[in-house]
Amino acid sequence: MSNTSPAPGSDYLEDQILKQYANFVKTPNPALLNSDFCKEAIASLKTERMQTLESLILYKSITQIHAALEMKYFSVTEMTLFFLHRTLRFNAHYGAIISLNPDSLTQAAAIDARLSRGEACASLIGIPVWLKDNIATLDPIPTTGGAAIFATCFAKKDAPVVAELRKSGSIFLGKTNLSEWANFMSSNSSNGYSVIGGQTHSPYGQFDVGGSSSGSAVAVALGLSPVSIGSETCGSLVYPASQNGVSTLKPTHESLSGLGILPIASSLDTAGPMALYVADLHLTYCALGGLFPKDEHPDFLHSTLHKKRIGLALSPALTSEFREGDLEFLYRIKSELIQMGAEVITVNIPEAAFTPPLLHTLHEEFEPCLESYCDYVGCGLTLQEIIDFNKSDLEHYAPYGQDLLKTSHETLSQVGSPLTLEMKELSQSILSNCLKDHHLDAIYNLSNYLAILHALSGFPALTVPCGFRPTGEPIGVTFVGHPEQLKTLFEISYLYQEGTHHQRPPEPHMP
């Protein structure tokens, strides 16, 4: 979750930039990346070889990497070492990574052995992946949610999405930093900050890094892996993806298992992939266990925007939150889509869609969902114990406070309350009617302006880069469609990305 308001206004952004850059809290006990397991192996790769690996691997798609593996240009182990080396070069400055997986090289060697026996490169086999540090894994690294109380919480079993990735042959590089508790600890929080991982920074400049999947977005933007896994309640995938120039899929709610993921509210929570390229999102979503209605997958090779109808979703509730230049971006996107063959119309979304009391649902569901998570991973803690732990040393454990945790504890717990179901039904009805009445394949707006709509409705959303503000700050366009239109949503997003090429990698600071 990035925040519970529709979109960040200028005051919000100014406050966030101050917190993240000028006045950011230096965590007193930062997680130091333990690289003992890979130092010697990295050192054995000579500079010339590392440069060759960079030319073959950095910012390449999964398909390109698989083709290079099949040609034996490099091994999975070499690729894993390349990404670990790049992480150790840049993480001290950007804080995207919270822990390294000491088993990653063992996993890479096992995949190399499988490939040497003739196994084909398919799915995500051999592809290094980062996991947001609220997703449980059996690897010898804790799942902390960025919180001090979970610093030594080693899960007793994988989250189901991790188990699926493991079956696909992915290499788990480690965990990414996040807004602590997925940004549901304090209403005064800093996006991208946790007491375990410190402050994550944007690789593009002093811009809001976004939250809560900030580390997952920055890891992909910096080229620390081709893909990463984040999570979202309301905006936590789409907003940091937009802010860091990468792509993401917020899947249809409940299309991926939420077990083993540190929760906010199970009525809204979902895991989701981040990558540079829409085609890689598709591969990763499938590897996570995601399905397509009627098993109809996107046809990237033969798809076209011709005869596609797309709605520019506007509302006074949205435009009142717009930043300078947002309307110009939206109309430029409209022109680009039309040039590529689509028909684009402006549709008005009722203001009621953007004003439901979403925060109440989060407070209602947080405690029972937390208890279920703790049971699943075997970390037996109650919300009261967590609050008391933080209270014992607020400076070190909760420098921004913990009012959201306290309010949740004081709120009557229930999952799927009548109010929540009413809000979800309203959002689903508004989106379904909009798409049906106007014969639309999807609607779009910038970044996370539609987050509350696709969060409550459970409809899928896909964000791709659409350019940069005059300051150099990235921005993305988010397409939203009906769950039954997931194939089309992927195709529209893919064609827009391929037809515009707005992506530009950052020029990271060399510490």
Side-chain angles (χ1 to χ4, degrees), residues 302-352:
H302 301 104
S303 57
T304 175
L305 286 179
H306 184 59
K307 293 187 178 180
K308 293 288 191 297
R309 281 175 60 87
I310 304 171
L312 165 52
L314 291 177
S315 164
L318 286 180
T319 54
S320 65
E321 298 287 339
F322 276 3
R323 295 173 59 183
E324 184 177 353
D326 280 356
L327 272 175
E328 287 79 2
F329 268 109
L330 289 170
Y331 287 122
R332 194 208 68 209
I333 294 164
K334 177 178 180 179
S335 176
E336 290 169 334
L337 290 168
I338 290 172
Q339 288 173 9
M340 287 184 275
E343 183 180 354
V344 183
I345 64 171
T346 300
V347 293
N348 182 61
I349 304 293
E351 196 148 344

Side-chain angles (χ1 to χ4, degrees), residues 138 195 244 250 291 341 343 411 434 449 455 460 462 473 479:
L138 270 173
V195 294
N244 294 283
K250 191 236 84 173
L291 302 175
E343 183 180 354
T411 302
C434 176
Y449 284 112
L462 211 157
E473 179 182 7
F479 297 97

Side-chain angles (χ1 to χ4, degrees), residues 390-448:
N390 292 334
K391 189 178 178 181
S392 70
D393 191 346
L394 287 173
E395 180 183 358
H396 291 161
Y397 300 154
Y400 290 105
Q402 56 175 336
D403 62 295
L404 296 179
L405 300 185
K406 291 162 68 176
T407 301
S408 295
H409 186 53
E410 295 161 0
T411 302
L412 177 66
S413 295
Q414 53 181 328
V415 175
S417 69
L419 176 60
T420 297
L421 295 177
E422 181 183 330
M423 289 190 292
K424 288 174 72 69
E425 288 170 3
L426 174 64
S427 296
Q428 290 167 358
S429 174
I430 287 172
L431 272 176
S432 294
N433 290 340
C434 176
L435 293 164
K436 181 180 178 181
D437 293 347
H438 297 285
H439 308 287
L440 299 175
D441 295 288
I443 60 173
Y444 79 92
N445 206 292
L446 299 176
S447 188
N448 66 331

Side-chain angles (χ1 to χ4, degrees), residues 7-71:
S10 58
D11 291 344
Y12 172 87
L13 285 172
E14 289 174 9
D15 178 59
Q16 282 295 320
I17 290 167
L18 281 173
K19 287 175 181 173
Q20 293 172 37
Y21 299 97
N23 303 322
F24 73 90
V25 174
K26 294 184 178 179
T27 182
N29 299 300
L32 300 176
L33 299 186
N34 182 2
S35 59
D36 292 346
F37 70 97
C38 63
K39 277 182 179 178
E40 188 175 336
I42 289 174
S44 70
L45 288 175
K46 294 181 179 180
T47 301
E48 183 179 342
R49 181 57 178 164
M50 198 65 81
Q51 290 172 343
T52 299
L53 290 173
E54 181 171 317
S55 69
L56 293 168
I57 296 169
L58 186 61
Y59 297 129
K60 296 297 191 290
S61 70
I62 292 172
T63 300
Q64 290 171 317
I65 289 172
H66 276 165
L69 282 171
E70 289 177 339
M71 295 296 292

Side-chain angles (χ1 to χ4, degrees), residues 247-249 276-279 281 300 303 305 310 337 340 442-444 461-465 477-481 486-500:
S247 302
T248 193
L249 168 71
L276 290 180
Y277 310 110
V278 172
L281 293 178
F300 296 131
S303 57
L305 286 179
I310 304 171
L337 290 168
M340 287 184 275
I443 60 173
Y444 79 92
L462 211 157
T463 300
V464 295
V477 55
T478 299
F479 297 97
V480 180
L486 183 59
K487 170 184 180 290
T488 302
L489 188 69
F490 263 100
E491 291 174 348
I492 289 171
S493 303
Y494 172 84
L495 290 166
Y496 178 80
Q497 184 177 48
E498 291 297 302
T500 57

Side-chain angles (χ1 to χ4, degrees), residues 98-356:
I98 207 168
S99 62
L100 301 180
N101 179 15
D103 281 357
S104 57
L105 291 179
T106 303
Q107 293 174 7
I111 298 299
D112 277 328
R114 288 167 56 180
L115 295 178
S116 70
R117 293 193 293 269
E119 186 167 339
C121 285
S123 186
L124 257 61
I125 190 167
I127 300 299
V129 175
W130 295 102
L131 301 170
K132 185 177 179 180
D133 198 22
N134 63 347
I135 304 174
T137 169
L138 270 173
D139 297 285
I141 43 177
T143 301
T144 72
I149 196 166
F150 283 129
T152 58
C153 178
F154 292 84
K156 294 184 177 179
K157 50 186 171 180
D158 283 335
V161 291
V162 173
E164 291 293 329
L165 282 175
R166 208 180 288 280
K167 285 192 291 185
S168 79
S170 303
I171 310 301
F172 298 134
L173 292 173
K175 297 292 189 71
T176 57
N177 197 18
L178 68 163
S179 310
E180 190 164 340
W181 285 100
N183 233 351
F184 198 67
M185 182 176 184
S186 167
S187 57
N188 186 41
S189 65
S190 173
N191 285 334
Y193 175 82
S194 74
V195 294
I196 296 290
Q199 179 66 57
T200 303
H201 292 121
S202 166
Y204 285 93
Q206 292 194 5
F207 308 119
D208 180 14
V209 74
S212 65
S213 301
S214 44
S216 298
V218 172
V220 172
L222 282 173
L224 308 186
S225 70
V227 295
S228 66
I229 310 302
S231 67
E232 172 159 325
T233 304
C234 182
S236 274
L237 287 163
V238 298
Y239 184 47
S242 174
Q243 288 295 112
N244 294 283
V246 303
S247 302
T248 193
L249 168 71
K250 191 236 84 173
T252 303
H253 184 247
E254 293 188 332
S255 64
L256 297 176
S257 172
L259 288 173
I261 302 175
L262 192 64
I264 296 179
S266 62
S267 291
L268 306 174
D269 294 344
T270 181
M274 288 183 159
L276 290 180
Y277 310 110
V278 172
D280 288 352
L281 293 178
H282 169 243
L283 288 171
T284 309
Y285 171 67
C286 293
L288 288 164
L291 302 175
F292 282 80
K294 302 176 185 177
D295 200 30
E296 293 180 346
H297 288 256
D299 183 352
F300 296 131
L301 187 61
H302 301 104
S303 57
T304 175
L305 286 179
H306 184 59
K307 293 187 178 180
K308 293 288 191 297
R309 281 175 60 87
I310 304 171
L312 165 52
L314 291 177
S315 164
L318 286 180
T319 54
S320 65
E321 298 287 339
F322 276 3
R323 295 173 59 183
E324 184 177 353
D326 280 356
L327 272 175
E328 287 79 2
F329 268 109
L330 289 170
Y331 287 122
R332 194 208 68 209
I333 294 164
K334 177 178 180 179
S335 176
E336 290 169 334
L337 290 168
I338 290 172
Q339 288 173 9
M340 287 184 275
E343 183 180 354
V344 183
I345 64 171
T346 300
V347 293
N348 182 61
I349 304 293
E351 196 148 344
F354 302 101
T355 56

